[in-house]
Structure formats: C-alpha cells, structure tokens
Amino acid sequence: EATKQYNMTFKSSTATLLTSAQLEQIYLGWAQNFPIVSFEDPFEQDDFEAWTSLTAKLEGKGIQVVGDDLTV
C-alpha cells in the first residue's frame, strides 16, 4: 500500500503534502510543548500504521488518541 499523504493546504491552489510520519512528528511536538489532552481523528481512518505508531508513542503520557470513524 502506498504511503498516506495529508493535504495541509486543501483550500489553497498549491498543495502542501505531508506523510503520516511527518504529521505524526507535528503531533508529538505539540504534545511536548502544549498541555494536550487528546488528539481526535489525527489520521485517515484507514491509516492503521499511523494510528498504531502515534498511540504507542503517546502511551503513558496522559494523552488520548480518539477516532470516531475508526472505533464505530
């Protein structure tokens, strides 16, 4: 399966695409620098590797990873 990419500028005429790993690094930076309580829908519902990776890296830090589409 191809690497998932996330369009961070979908309303712009020029797309800025990030891979799951790049987006994960942004989330981890926020978690380190801000009092984050939870991340809701941080990745596409079928990006299982990204969900697993972020959840594992945040384990024990008191931050929830919530996915409404993933868990229903």
Side-chain angles (χ1 to χ4, degrees):
E1 180 176 318
T3 300
K4 302 278 187 200
Q5 291 192 325
Y6 295 86
N7 185 349
M8 306 310 290
T9 52
F10 67 94
K11 292 186 178 182
S12 175
S13 60
T14 305
T16 298
L17 300 176
L18 296 179
T19 64
S20 300
Q22 291 169 318
L23 187 54
E24 177 185 73
Q25 289 306 307
I26 290 172
Y27 294 142
L28 293 173
W30 290 346
Q32 183 176 1
N33 294 306
F34 302 103
I36 302 291
V37 175
S38 66
F39 287 105
E40 181 178 352
D41 291 330
F43 301 105
E44 179 183 312
Q45 67 185 21
D46 295 328
D47 196 350
F48 298 115
E49 288 180 29
W51 280 91
T52 303
S53 178
L54 182 64
T55 301
K57 289 176 181 170
L58 292 175
E59 186 174 350
K61 297 186 186 309
I63 299 173
Q64 300 178 89
V65 179
V66 181
D68 62 347
D69 290 340
L70 182 65
T71 57
V72 270

